[in-house]
Amino acid sequence: MRGRKQWEGFFFILPSLTGVLVFIFLPFLDVVRRSFTEVVSGKFVGLKNFETIFANSAFLQASFNTIRFTAVCIPLLVFLSLGTAVLLQGKKRTGSFLKSMFLMPMAIPVASVVLLWKLLFHPKGFLNGFLSMVGLAAVDWMNSEYAFGVLVFSYIWKNLGYDIILWLAGLAAISPDIYEAARVDGAGEWRCFFSITLPNLLPSLYTIAVLSFLNSFKVFREAYLVAGDYPHSSIYMMQHLFNNWFRELSVDKMAAGAVVNAGVILILVLLLQRAWEKV
């Protein structure tokens, strides 16, 4: 009976597993093959494509910007969402309304977000209009170093509500009896937070960190629609680079870059999992 139930479970996931193998795994194996060949002739060239992309200044710039964006946004989003979730947990009357407000950006279409961003950060937009009213000089926000801050703000604004809901789910799983017992022993709020709340939220932390990391790649839509194919150098991401390579039909560079990116992402996810297991 035990073996039969195991096979039943396997047959339940077989359709999804087949779809992943056919539409994701096998095409990626073809990408790996193409990363070692020429575009037209298909001749094996070894590591030549990888040497080409690592000598490409655009690839290095896009890699640096993508790493910097992830390193800034993920910790910022995780800590902001955790702090907000802890504050909202005790709000019974206004909690539901505030949750809806934080989730509202997720329901706004990308086209509407782009229109809002253009109205705010255009050289003659609302923000520069306000600066002119107070006697300050206008700023071309999307064509200066401020563009990186605008992109970070866009990512945080878009994903904050989603992470708050995930944190609240983790907080709801902690028994109130533990807090009551700790307070009887004289523990304060900070002591309860560091000794009870944080240890019980470690499983949620891994899930939220991975999802936030994956969602960080979706910010390209706003950056591309606002700033175009070649935005300011501070927000020129890997997605911009791949989009331009795709338009130029540089399949060899795309394949080599995709293999490098997939390897880096896999290593980061495995490191996160290993760190979580040790904790």
Side-chain angles (χ1 to χ4, degrees):
M1 289 295 294
R2 182 180 302 174
R4 180 180 176 182
K5 288 185 178 294
Q6 289 178 349
W7 278 106
E8 288 177 354
F10 173 76
F11 285 121
F12 271 114
I13 67 171
L14 184 59
S16 298
L17 181 62
T18 303
V20 171
L21 289 175
V22 173
F23 296 107
I24 296 179
F25 185 70
L26 292 180
F28 184 73
L29 289 181
D30 185 62
V31 170
V32 175
R33 181 188 65 82
R34 289 175 181 272
S35 67
F36 296 100
T37 61
E38 288 185 351
V39 179
V40 180
S41 64
K43 180 182 177 182
F44 180 78
V45 294
L47 299 176
K48 181 180 178 181
N49 294 331
F50 294 92
E51 295 174 357
T52 301
I53 64 171
F54 281 111
N56 190 313
S57 59
F59 178 81
L60 298 177
Q61 179 70 42
S63 300
F64 172 76
N65 288 337
T66 303
I67 293 172
R68 182 175 68 145
F69 179 80
T70 304
V72 171
C73 287
I74 303 303
L76 190 60
L77 177 62
V78 168
F79 287 118
L80 280 177
S81 59
L82 175 59
T84 308
V86 172
L87 293 176
L88 289 178
Q89 188 187 21
K91 304 287 185 181
K92 294 184 178 180
R93 293 184 177 180
T94 59
S96 299
F97 173 74
L98 292 175
K99 292 176 193 176
S100 301
M101 293 300 296
F102 281 116
L103 284 173
M104 190 65 69
M106 294 188 64
I108 300 177
V110 176
S112 300
V113 174
V114 170
L115 179 60
L116 175 62
W117 258 216
K118 287 184 176 181
L119 290 174
L120 283 175
F121 299 109
H122 192 270
K124 296 183 180 180
F126 289 126
L127 191 55
N128 280 332
F130 174 77
L131 293 177
S132 300
M133 290 175 59
V134 296
L136 298 176
V139 178
D140 190 358
W141 299 96
M142 299 308 298
N143 289 309
S144 65
E145 290 296 333
Y146 293 105
F148 182 78
V150 172
L151 197 62
V152 170
F153 173 76
S154 173
Y155 170 78
I156 299 296
W157 175 78
K158 187 79 172 178
N159 295 278
L160 184 62
Y162 180 63
D163 282 11
I164 289 174
I165 297 301
L166 295 177
W167 282 123
L168 287 172
L171 290 169
I174 304 175
S175 175
D177 297 337
I178 304 177
Y179 291 102
E180 293 179 6
R183 292 190 179 98
V184 169
D185 291 336
E189 293 298 327
W190 285 107
R191 182 67 174 176
C192 290
F193 177 75
F194 286 105
S195 299
I196 299 175
T197 305
L198 283 183
N200 283 279
L201 287 178
L202 287 179
S204 300
L205 174 62
Y206 173 74
T207 303
I208 292 171
V210 172
L211 290 176
S212 299
F213 175 69
L214 296 177
N215 286 332
S216 66
F217 293 100
K218 298 178 182 179
V219 77
F220 164 71
R221 297 174 300 181
E222 289 84 351
Y224 175 76
L225 292 174
V226 171
D229 294 324
Y230 297 96
H232 187 264
S233 59
S234 63
I235 59 171
Y236 187 74
M237 302 291 184
M238 290 298 299
Q239 296 92 329
H240 289 95
L241 182 66
F242 274 89
N243 182 71
N244 295 333
W245 279 349
F246 180 80
R247 188 178 55 189
E248 298 168 1
L249 298 179
S250 300
V251 180
D252 50 351
K253 295 180 182 178
M254 290 174 58
V259 171
V260 172
N261 288 339
V264 172
I265 293 172
L266 180 61
I267 291 172
L268 289 176
V269 172
L270 291 176
L271 289 175
L272 281 174
Q273 185 178 4
R274 181 64 62 85
W276 176 73
E277 290 175 352
K278 289 183 178 180
V279 174

